[in-house]
Amino acid sequence: MPAENKKKDGKPPQPRNFGSSLLSLLVTLFLINYVVLPALGPGRTRVSYSEFLKQVRAGNVEEALLGETEIRYILKEGTEGAEATPAQPTSPSPSPPPSSPSSSFGEAHEPPSPSPPPPTTPEAPNFRDQQQPVYSTVPIADNTRNLVELLEENNVEFRAAPQGGFLSTLLGWVLPPLIFVGIWAWFLQRAQGGSAALTVGRSKARIYAEGNTGVTFDDVAGEDEAKAELEEIVEFLKQPDKYTRIGAVIPKGVLLVGPPGTGKTLLAKAIAGEAGVPFFSISGSEFIELFVGVGAARVRDLFQQAKQKAPCIVFIDELDALGKARSSNSALGSNDEQEQTLNQLLTEMDGFEGNTGVIIIAATNRPEVLDPALRRPGRFDRLVTVDRPDKLGREAILRVHAKKVQLDSDVDLGAIATRTPGFSGADLANLINEAALLAARKNQTLVRMADLNEAIERVIAGLERKSRVLNPLERKIVSYHEVGHAIVGFLMPGSNRVEKISIVPRGVGALGYTLQLPEEDRFLMAEDEIRGRIATLLGGRSSEEVVFGKVSTGASDDIQKATDLAERMVTIYGMNSKLGPVAFERIQQQFLNPNSARRIISPEVTALIDQEVQRIIDAAHQVAQEILRLNRDLLEEIAETLLQNEVLEGEALQQYLKRAKAPTELTDWLQTGEWQPLADELGNS
Ligand code: ADP
Ligand code: MG
Ligand code: ZN
């Protein structure tokens, strides 16, 4: 099936130079007619009409050719021609004679008696004596009749000037239509944006010349597993013999998969840089065009170019734009152009032998939408995961990017790495740059640790917005809300440490925020930690309830997150005793068709899920309220300080939080999720 698609090594249609070649043809004809042909004729000296008349009257003129627009003549041997007036050729007469001189006075055509008969060769009438210098002048309309008489009186031999030969006739007839066609073609070309329509089939792959990407594996930090996988590709590109001798076939296609900003594009460039081979780079979306079939032509063109340059690397970025599963949503109608392009890519990948030296690297952050055919052996069969970096990886990435800025000696990149779990390489690069910007704004010469910490907050929470002014009541509510988060968060298990409370508005929606940063990377979350997290999220709202007896709209985001977590506990993590370890939600899996997210569940179970989610939220809410009632005095104290200082962090904050007391039943609740508050014990604050 792929073989039949390969029927022709078709080139894209190439009418694109039509307009310009036509134009150059026209220019050439024009030049021939008006520059070359006249130049080929004998050189002529231009003189004024009066000079001509003077010479005729003086009897110096031997022979004259009378043309409609020009009179040429030669002088008798031995007579001095007047000095030419070369500077200004006589201006053409305002109205040329209406017809040729010969026809306007037919009877005057008797041959002049004294002179010998002219060599009657009408095809090529010319001067008999080619050696004589030829003079030329422009006739004046009303004088033609007098002129003939004058010439006869002075015994000048005269004839009609030669008509243009075959070539000028041809030009006269052919040139005007060609000019029109040329102008038309030129406008057509302009109207279509010069290159667009006529060059659509051309691949836009940018060619980075050998080693020109300027990126090596040293520039890619942290992704050690991915780099190890790719080393082999580099080895092959450097010395293919080593592999081909044994009979090994190197993978043709490598698929880099990972979240955005983890360095996939960077890695691909590094491979080319390390191997020192040409690097063709194109984005998947660049194959998709308005016209059906253009993308396919572009794929063909790209591979043709690549094969000529082998060994080389073809890098297709954002492959998902091109390689989406075909007809996955046929109800909406399939996308012909995209399918054709994908088919062409599959065909091309099958179409060359394993060891030609063309290696195709593709990157995507949505592997689950890719067409399964792309992953077949012989195509993108090598999958390299480029994941978010762990702590050591982050430190290494920070080090790479910190080389570009001047760091103060107090900067501890390890500590920064600890505080930035989940950051991608791009986030970290951005972090360093933000810190450098901050330092520069403060006219520092070095980037300090404080700048980096501020930059982390910026990346997480957005820019400070001091311009947003809250009224005193709002400030008070925000203050209590945030302190509520902080106190509950402090008492909960897990490695998240409360770093900072602030009531300076930031980013798009945050009026205040509580910054909790982890002390280590976590890959699992235990049941009690999730419960603690839910309670912490509800701490803000609970604080408003405890202090003001009513709630504001400020807690909506917290509530959303808490509910999501509770639902995941029940439907994905199997952390509910009534429902047990049954998955109700499908985790979207790689390379599976993304079907409906939820399994088909009976209405009873659906009701039970809702009920259990509700119960988890309720219990966490009560725990948070209980904690805040128990620590009401501390809550007031911290909130007052925060209102004055706007920001509370570091040692001062820890001193306050250390005084927080935990309710006795807290440990039980964290373990079991059951919270049975004893109503009579609650009223003490
Ligand atoms: P993507 O995976 O989305 O293609 P890029 O390769 O474009 O990500 O990375 C964007 C930028 O982030 C890079 O130019 C680089 O500055 C930085 N970066 C990402 N990952 C790394 C890494 N592992 N080491 C160093 N820099 C990185
Ligand atoms: Mg990329
Ligand atoms: Zn909140």
Side-chain angles (χ1 to χ4, degrees):
M1 151 89 132
E4 74 176 337
N5 267 2
K6 186 97 175 88
K7 54 188 177 261
K8 57 181 167 137
D9 203 27
K11 292 189 185 77
Q14 298 185 313
R16 56 183 162 280
N17 283 333
F18 174 68
S20 57
S21 59
L22 190 65
L23 212 62
S24 55
L25 177 71
L26 289 180
V27 170
T28 315
L29 287 178
F30 184 87
L31 288 179
I32 288 177
N33 197 30
Y34 294 101
V35 178
V36 180
L37 286 184
L40 283 178
R44 301 194 286 269
T45 313
R46 291 209 159 237
V47 294
S48 66
Y49 191 65
S50 59
E51 168 69 21
F52 167 62
L53 291 181
K54 208 168 87 193
Q55 294 282 15
V56 172
R57 288 199 188 100
N60 290 341
V61 177
E62 164 93 35
E63 195 181 347
L65 296 179
L66 304 185
E68 219 170 309
T69 55
E70 187 187 26
I71 296 173
R72 286 183 229 165
Y73 66 97
I74 53 176
L75 299 178
K76 290 189 178 131
E77 262 170 277
T79 42
E80 267 299 297
E83 276 313 299
T85 51
Q88 203 55 29
T90 37
S91 55
S93 58
S95 55
S99 51
S100 81
S102 52
S103 68
S104 61
F105 48 95
E107 83 275 24
H109 244 295
E110 308 144 51
S113 42
S115 45
T120 47
T121 43
E123 284 89 358
N126 218 328
F127 295 109
R128 283 168 306 177
D129 189 347
Q130 300 289 349
Q131 258 61 45
Q132 285 285 65
V134 178
Y135 295 88
S136 155
T137 187
V138 180
I140 294 171
D142 294 337
N143 282 351
T144 39
R145 185 167 200 100
N146 297 341
L147 179 62
V148 171
E149 283 163 12
L150 187 70
L151 291 176
E152 281 187 323
E153 276 162 24
N154 289 285
N155 276 337
V156 178
E157 185 188 337
F158 62 94
R159 271 173 287 139
Q163 294 300 309
F166 164 75
L167 193 59
S168 49
T169 314
L170 179 83
L171 289 177
W173 282 98
V174 174
L175 206 56
L178 278 185
I179 288 175
F180 280 112
V181 173
I183 291 174
W184 170 77
W186 183 67
F187 271 111
L188 195 71
Q189 203 181 10
R190 293 250 322 198
Q192 286 169 344
S195 63
L198 296 174
T199 62
V200 274
R202 267 287 152 118
S203 143
K204 287 187 198 151
R206 296 160 295 244
I207 303 174
Y208 296 86
E210 196 165 312
N212 239 9
T213 63
V215 181
T216 65
F217 277 148
D218 288 340
D219 296 313
V220 190
E223 304 292 348
D224 293 333
E225 295 91 347
K227 277 201 273 185
E229 287 266 350
L230 296 172
E231 293 277 359
E232 194 172 60
I233 307 278
V234 173
E235 271 296 304
F236 173 77
L237 287 170
K238 273 187 182 159
Q239 25 183 309
D241 302 349
K242 191 170 126 190
Y243 292 83
T244 49
R245 227 184 295 132
I246 297 187
V249 177
I250 216 71
K252 275 191 244 178
V254 179
L255 186 59
L256 301 175
V257 175
T262 46
K264 299 180 293 294
T265 308
L266 196 65
L267 265 172
K269 286 184 185 167
I271 297 171
E274 288 280 332
V277 298
F279 181 70
F280 293 82
S281 156
I282 192 162
S283 171
S285 60
E286 286 176 77
F287 286 113
I288 306 299
E289 285 280 346
L290 185 61
F291 307 110
V292 173
V294 169
R298 205 165 268 168
V299 170
R300 263 196 308 269
D301 191 55
L302 172 66
F303 276 80
Q304 216 166 29
Q305 284 186 39
K307 274 184 245 173
Q308 283 163 8
K309 285 259 159 93
C312 69
I313 290 174
V314 174
F315 177 54
I316 305 177
D317 211 350
E318 318 293 351
L319 180 68
D320 45 281
L322 162 65
K324 273 196 218 99
R326 286 163 292 186
S327 297
S328 56
N329 48 359
S330 45
L332 299 174
S334 62
N335 181 343
D336 278 346
E337 161 64 355
Q338 192 231 319
E339 280 189 21
Q340 279 200 18
T341 309
L342 177 56
N343 281 336
Q344 188 63 44
L345 178 66
L346 297 177
T347 309
E348 289 289 346
M349 289 197 74
D350 290 341
F352 62 89
E353 294 305 312
N355 285 334
T356 46
V358 179
I359 291 184
I360 303 149
I361 299 176
T364 180
N365 44 35
R366 301 173 60 204
E368 69 282 351
V369 304
L370 289 186
D371 196 292
L374 275 172
R375 303 248 14 245
R376 214 200 61 185
R379 292 171 184 160
F380 291 106
D381 47 5
R382 187 68 72 93
L383 189 88
V384 175
T385 313
V386 187
D387 214 344
R388 289 212 176 83
D390 56 9
K391 179 173 173 291
L392 288 177
R394 288 197 298 276
E395 195 175 334
I397 294 172
L398 284 170
R399 242 172 252 301
V400 166
H401 290 280
K403 271 188 219 144
K404 297 169 206 153
V405 299
Q406 310 291 322
L407 289 187
D408 203 350
S409 53
D410 73 334
V411 171
D412 179 0
L413 291 179
I416 301 288
T418 309
R419 304 181 58 189
T420 49
F423 275 44
S424 68
D427 291 332
L428 293 168
N430 183 27
L431 174 70
I432 295 276
N433 190 47
E434 281 287 340
L437 288 175
L438 281 170
R441 208 168 297 156
K442 289 187 239 160
N443 291 324
Q444 294 165 201
T445 50
L446 299 173
V447 176
R448 303 204 189 113
M449 190 67 175
D451 303 320
L452 285 161
N453 282 331
E454 167 70 14
I456 293 178
E457 270 182 72
R458 280 190 170 214
V459 174
I460 293 177
L463 294 181
E464 280 190 1
R465 299 183 55 169
K466 297 216 163 155
S467 61
R468 185 181 287 170
V469 182
L470 303 180
N471 72 31
L473 179 61
E474 283 171 340
R475 264 170 61 97
K476 203 168 164 194
I477 294 174
V478 171
S479 182
Y480 277 97
H481 178 106
E482 297 304 334
V483 177
H485 282 310
I487 293 179
V488 176
F490 177 79
L491 293 173
M492 295 300 156
S495 58
N496 284 8
R497 192 177 122 101
V498 181
E499 288 267 337
K500 177 173 181 175
I501 321 174
S502 158
I503 54 169
V504 180
R506 264 189 192 270
V508 186
L511 299 178
Y513 61 97
T514 305
L515 192 65
Q516 275 189 297
L517 289 177
E519 282 159 342
E520 58 186 0
D521 275 15
R522 292 299 303 270
F523 301 100
L524 289 174
M525 251 179 125
E527 217 178 330
D528 56 339
E529 285 176 89
I530 302 181
R531 289 201 187 98
R533 183 94 201 101
I534 297 174
T536 308
L537 283 166
L538 295 174
R541 177 198 159 93
S542 304
S543 177
E544 291 179 44
E545 286 168 332
V546 168
V547 176
F548 304 100
K550 60 182 176 191
V551 293
S552 72
T553 55
S556 60
D557 190 45
D558 298 335
I559 293 172
Q560 184 70 52
K561 284 186 189 148
T563 311
D564 286 350
L565 265 179
E567 184 163 345
R568 291 171 81 85
M569 282 182 86
V570 176
T571 60
I572 295 179
Y573 305 139
M575 286 175 179
N576 186 275
S577 51
K578 285 191 191 154
L579 289 158
V582 177
F584 298 101
E585 204 94 17
R586 277 183 218 273
I587 301 171
Q588 294 227 337
Q589 261 176 2
Q590 293 187 349
F591 308 120
L592 283 184
N593 261 349
N595 281 332
S596 64
R598 220 170 226 200
R599 287 165 50 100
I600 298 158
I601 333 171
S602 69
E604 294 80 32
V605 176
T606 312
L608 190 57
I609 290 174
D610 291 344
Q611 204 178 313
E612 286 302 292
V613 169
Q614 188 73 53
R615 223 164 57 86
I616 292 170
I617 296 285
D618 277 349
H621 186 198
Q622 286 180 34
V623 170
Q625 282 188 334
E626 172 64 11
I627 289 173
L628 293 171
R629 278 198 206 99
L630 201 60
N631 294 290
R632 178 71 189 260
D633 295 342
L634 182 63
L635 174 62
E636 301 278 355
E637 207 180 323
I638 304 179
E640 279 305 319
T641 319
L642 187 58
L643 269 175
Q644 273 162 26
N645 299 352
E646 290 202 326
V647 174
L648 200 53
E649 62 185 325
E651 199 47 39
L653 177 62
Q654 299 309 320
Q655 288 302 330
Y656 276 123
L657 290 178
K658 257 184 221 159
R659 286 161 46 196
K661 291 171 290 205
T664 43
E665 303 92 340
L666 182 64
T667 330
D668 273 357
W669 170 72
L670 285 170
Q671 294 308 319
T672 63
E674 303 298 329
W675 176 257
Q676 268 105 27
L678 302 168
D680 43 315
E681 276 184 21
L682 291 178
N684 62 353
S685 70

